[in-house]
Amino acid sequence: SFHVIFWDDRKLKPQKRHLFNNICFTFLSEPQAMCYVATANLDGETNLKIRQALLETAGTQKEEQLVNLAGKIECEGPHRQFNNFVGTLYLRGKSPVSLGPDQMLLRGTQLKNTLWIIGIVIYTGFETKLMQNAVKSPLKRSKVEKVTNLQILVLLLLLFLMSAVSCVGALIWNKIYLENIWYMGNNDNPSHNFVFDLVVFIILYHNLVPISLLLTLETVKFIQAQFINWDEDMHYDQNNLYAMARTSNLNEELGQVKYLFSDKTGTLTCNSMTFKKCTIAGVIYGNFWSKVIFFILPHSQSSFCEFNDPKLLENFENGHPSAEYINEFLTLLCVCHTVIPERHGNDIIYQASSPDEAALVKGAKKLGFVFTTRTPYSVTIEVMTEMHTFEILNILEFSSNRKRMSIIVRTPAGHLRLYCKGADTVILERLSKDSLFVEDTLKHLEYFATEVTLCIAYTDLTEKEYQDWLEKYQRANQFYKTEFKKLEECYEIIEKEFLLLGATAIEDRLQANVPETISTLLRANIKIWVLTGDKQETAVNIAFSCKLISGTTPRIYLNASSFEATQQIIEYNCGDLGNLLGKENDLALIIDGETLKYALRFEIQRKFLDLALSCRAVLCCR
């Protein structure tokens, strides 16, 4: 059972804030029982995430209501997975309600744009997910330091060995000759202490250990670190930031780097998504002239990368045969998402946990379809000065496994409709036989190869079909996340027979000087491996743009749908390289996630590693 706690961040002393660790919150000061959290300390992502309290308890904010609140929470034991949480809330006199990650504020996150919350502490101290993931920081030492320490240790052992041998020799010599050497004045104290003699010989031989070497190395490292901090070529003018050598222990390692591992979004690219092109009902729209200058635009000119094609609105307003599809396409962009609108005067600021979702909503806004209001139960959009409210029935969440997101709504006309957007691979295989424009859309997707693409589709539902599915969904939701697969299987039942509307293309510009940097690293014989969630054509085109691979670079493609096929293609390529296997070759290896799953099996992982190490660049997509 639980007690209600009151948490007002403005009144909480800073030294006490760490006591509130993992909180399952139920009441919020903000509308729609939502709040924003920054999770940069957990996953490194700087964009705000949205968390929402339970709708069953969101209205309970008065003190007398809280005093009478009673119940219990059953949840799983502590574990280290940040994105998973299983729990059930039992309130007195009410039916059980499942709890998930959206109701959890983890230790390490920062609460943003929220005055206060009222919640229940679930895990504390070392049981929190942050502490479960905490590991002892490794001692970072360079190869030079390791070799130097080993040499010093050997010299110390040699010093003690020499001193011990000298002590034994002195003992023997004194026993033989000391009585006859009267002029040494030792007749009064003929006995000698072995430990005393050992210390004497250590002092005599101490120059064997070069203590000044360590001091010299540390001085050189410190000066090198200062030169890194002062390097004007590493100065970022916009934020006035310089490179910072946080430790001087690894300076000499910089010249020995052989492999560089990188993701794409936020590292090679700016993670600043822009809605650029789209295809609707087999008609392509977009600002095509910008494609030539997309990857060479300086950072300050990002405003030029906007959707700019008046033909789309002309077709919509002039009764073009595709006008109905355009309306449905833009409506889907305004409804199927988890974006939260914030009003600042006459402006609407969109807060989104995913930059590409915000880009689509902003693109639709520019075309006259403005997402204005979100509540837990509805979404309101403004279409050419007319307001339309869609009742939200269910949200079928996005996951990396599903590669899509769906939402079931009741339209202003009272129809049940499921909107879906996701990767082309998962949408196309769920299309109805009656779906149109498939071939044209596939051709346009090939043209959109340099951008991140999403397919847009919908399907109409009958009341009986929806009610039958809703019963299965509610049963599966009771075991939410005890077995998330059951919930995904339930999603699969209703996510079918889609009618394709089209696809979007979202561009994410490369960071400044990325091609020049990668080209320089490759000339320094540094091999670069890149991981991206883009489809293969997009990943290869971006690799061309950032000069990871060139037009003359031979490429090895690993695309297989089974373990046997993966084993066969890897063995074939290893045999094809022959004596060049394991050596440095001007090759590029491109593999998708499905094939990688099989390639990392124990039986063939060694051959796959040998093949990857034989290539100058490795690109893993999807």
Side-chain angles (χ1 to χ4, degrees):
S1 60
F2 58 80
H3 300 282
V4 176
I5 62 167
F6 297 85
W7 179 17
D8 192 336
D9 195 54
R10 297 166 296 178
K11 299 178 182 179
L12 197 62
K13 294 181 180 179
Q15 61 267 28
K16 296 294 184 181
R17 292 184 184 178
H18 70 281
L19 296 177
F20 298 99
N21 294 296
N22 287 7
I23 295 179
C24 180
F25 65 93
T26 53
F27 321 108
L28 285 168
S29 63
E30 304 306 303
Q32 292 90 52
M34 295 182 181
C35 73
Y36 309 106
V37 292
T39 60
N41 290 339
L42 300 182
D43 54 21
E45 296 183 6
T46 56
N47 50 298
L48 297 183
K49 303 292 196 312
I50 298 168
R51 296 291 182 263
Q52 184 172 21
L54 291 170
L55 301 180
E56 287 78 3
T57 60
T60 310
Q61 297 184 11
K62 295 181 180 180
E63 186 174 346
E64 57 272 13
Q65 293 176 313
L66 296 174
V67 171
N68 296 325
L69 190 67
K72 66 177 181 178
I73 290 180
E74 292 182 358
C75 61
E76 60 187 349
H79 60 76
R80 59 190 302 172
Q81 281 76 29
F82 284 123
N83 297 324
N84 294 334
F85 174 72
V86 180
T88 304
L89 173 63
Y90 297 91
L91 289 176
R92 187 170 58 188
K94 295 184 179 181
S95 59
V97 183
S98 62
L99 298 170
D102 288 341
Q103 284 78 50
M104 283 293 290
L105 295 183
L106 300 179
R107 177 177 178 178
T109 61
Q110 292 180 326
L111 196 63
K112 298 286 187 179
N113 303 337
T114 306
L115 293 179
W116 54 263
I117 71 169
I118 303 172
I120 301 161
V121 178
I122 302 296
Y123 307 120
T124 60
F126 289 96
E127 293 183 348
T128 62
K129 296 182 185 294
L130 181 66
M131 295 301 293
Q132 291 277 326
N133 282 273
V135 294
K136 186 179 180 180
S137 298
L139 180 62
K140 296 181 180 180
R141 294 186 300 168
S142 63
K143 289 184 179 179
V144 172
E145 189 175 359
K146 291 177 181 177
V147 171
T148 305
N149 290 343
L150 180 61
Q151 292 174 344
I152 295 286
L153 183 61
V154 171
L155 290 175
L156 281 172
L157 293 175
L158 182 61
L159 173 63
F160 282 110
L161 180 63
M162 291 174 58
S163 300
V165 171
S166 298
C167 284
V168 173
L171 189 64
I172 297 173
W173 191 88
N174 288 332
K175 185 176 288 188
I176 297 174
Y177 299 106
L178 187 61
E179 294 180 356
N180 300 325
I181 305 177
W182 54 269
Y183 51 83
M184 295 292 291
N186 292 328
N187 293 329
D188 297 335
N189 186 21
S191 62
H192 282 264
N193 190 312
F194 182 83
V195 176
F196 176 80
D197 288 346
L198 181 65
V199 173
V200 170
F201 281 111
I202 288 176
I203 295 173
L204 291 175
Y205 298 151
H206 79 278
N207 288 332
L208 183 66
V209 181
I211 300 299
S212 62
L213 174 63
L214 295 177
L215 180 60
T216 303
L217 283 176
E218 290 300 324
T219 304
V220 171
K221 290 179 181 179
F222 175 77
I223 296 174
Q224 286 179 340
Q226 295 306 309
F227 277 115
I228 293 175
N229 295 342
W230 298 333
D231 191 353
E232 285 295 332
D233 290 336
M234 299 287 285
H235 181 211
Y236 186 56
D237 295 327
Q238 293 191 9
N239 293 346
N240 194 28
L241 291 176
Y242 285 85
M244 183 178 294
R246 298 185 183 274
T247 174
S248 60
N249 289 351
L250 303 178
N251 291 351
E252 60 267 31
E253 295 286 274
L254 295 177
Q256 302 177 48
V257 173
K258 193 170 183 179
Y259 291 91
L260 191 151
F261 300 89
S262 172
D263 66 341
K264 188 205 73 170
T265 303
T267 305
L268 300 182
T269 62
C270 299
N271 198 20
S272 178
M273 306 293 189
T274 306
F275 180 35
K276 290 286 297 190
K277 307 179 184 72
C278 65
T279 172
I280 306 174
V283 181
I284 193 168
Y285 303 95
N287 191 0
F288 304 105
W289 60 267
S290 66
K291 182 174 182 177
V292 181
I293 64 171
F294 164 61
F295 285 113
I296 59 175
L297 278 173
H299 188 78
S300 61
Q301 296 184 10
S302 60
S303 60
F304 289 105
C305 295
E306 296 288 345
F307 186 88
N308 185 19
D309 193 345
K311 181 182 174 184
L312 190 151
L313 286 180
E314 290 177 3
N315 289 347
F316 175 66
E317 295 172 351
N318 297 335
H320 190 271
S322 64
E324 183 180 348
Y325 296 101
I326 294 174
N327 177 71
E328 206 65 46
F329 182 92
L330 297 177
T331 299
L332 188 149
L333 297 187
C334 290
V335 174
C336 186
H337 54 73
T338 57
V339 179
I340 303 297
E342 286 186 349
R343 286 195 175 272
H344 294 271
N346 295 326
D347 295 331
I348 299 177
I349 306 299
Y350 295 116
Q351 296 285 353
S353 58
S354 175
D356 54 350
E357 277 197 332
L360 293 176
V361 173
K362 291 175 184 177
K365 178 183 177 183
K366 186 175 181 180
L367 295 169
F369 284 67
V370 184
F371 167 51
T372 59
T373 308
R374 173 186 287 277
T375 71
Y377 307 103
S378 66
V379 168
T380 302
I381 66 174
E382 182 181 347
V383 180
M384 306 300 179
T385 68
E386 294 184 7
M387 306 301 292
H388 300 276
T389 299
F390 292 78
E391 181 185 354
I392 298 176
L393 300 177
N394 301 96
I395 296 178
L396 283 56
E397 299 174 356
F398 172 87
S399 70
S400 57
N401 184 41
R402 283 167 39 77
K403 299 180 184 178
R404 64 190 181 275
M405 176 213 172
S406 300
I407 185 170
I408 301 175
V409 298
R410 191 176 296 275
T411 66
H415 302 300
L416 285 173
R417 186 161 292 170
L418 185 148
Y419 290 125
C420 184
K421 64 180 181 183
D424 52 351
T425 53
V426 296
I427 298 296
L428 294 176
E429 65 185 14
R430 289 169 172 79
L431 291 179
S432 167
K433 296 179 180 179
D434 300 329
S435 186
L436 306 175
F437 328 116
V438 178
E439 293 184 2
D440 292 334
T441 302
L442 286 174
K443 293 178 182 177
H444 297 161
L445 286 174
E446 294 178 4
Y447 181 78
F448 294 161
T450 56
E451 292 87 29
V452 179
T453 56
L454 289 174
C455 281
I456 306 297
Y458 79 100
T459 184
D460 287 315
L461 305 174
T462 63
E463 290 289 345
K464 183 179 184 307
E465 184 181 7
Y466 173 69
Q467 291 300 328
D468 292 343
W469 174 84
L470 187 60
E471 291 180 6
K472 299 176 183 177
Y473 170 75
Q474 289 174 342
R475 285 197 301 269
N477 200 34
Q478 291 295 326
F479 304 97
Y480 181 83
K481 308 88 184 183
T482 43
E483 237 174 287
F484 191 70
K485 288 183 179 179
K486 290 185 178 179
L487 205 56
E488 290 189 348
E489 291 172 0
C490 184
Y491 292 164
E492 292 278 354
I493 296 173
I494 201 166
E495 288 179 323
K496 61 182 182 180
E497 300 298 318
F498 286 147
L499 299 176
L500 185 64
L501 291 171
T504 63
I506 305 172
E507 289 182 347
D508 189 4
R509 292 181 305 104
L510 289 178
Q511 300 268 15
N513 300 320
V514 161
E516 295 83 357
T517 302
I518 290 182
S519 178
T520 304
L521 291 172
L522 291 175
R523 288 203 305 272
N525 203 27
I526 294 177
K527 300 176 178 61
I528 301 177
W529 295 17
V530 175
L531 187 71
T532 174
D534 296 328
K535 63 180 182 179
Q536 186 167 288
E537 294 81 1
T538 304
V540 171
N541 280 320
I542 291 177
F544 277 118
S545 301
C546 64
K547 296 185 178 179
L548 180 62
I549 58 179
S550 64
T552 59
T553 302
R555 297 186 291 278
I556 298 175
Y557 290 92
L558 298 183
N559 298 314
S561 56
S562 65
F563 172 74
E564 292 75 15
T566 303
Q567 185 176 23
Q568 183 179 359
I569 193 173
I570 288 177
E571 290 178 349
Y572 171 79
N573 283 284
C574 288
D576 194 37
L577 286 175
N579 296 330
L580 298 177
L581 186 66
K583 300 179 181 179
E584 297 180 357
N585 303 290
D586 189 18
L587 295 172
L589 177 66
I590 294 121
I591 184 171
D592 60 19
E594 182 70 15
T595 309
L596 182 65
K597 179 176 67 175
Y598 300 118
L600 293 179
R601 286 193 183 180
F602 177 77
E603 297 90 335
I604 57 173
Q605 65 178 0
R606 184 67 211 181
K607 290 185 178 180
F608 170 65
L609 179 60
D610 292 338
L611 181 62
L613 295 178
S614 304
C615 298
R616 189 184 187 193
V618 177
L619 183 64
C620 182
C621 50
R622 281 292 188 222

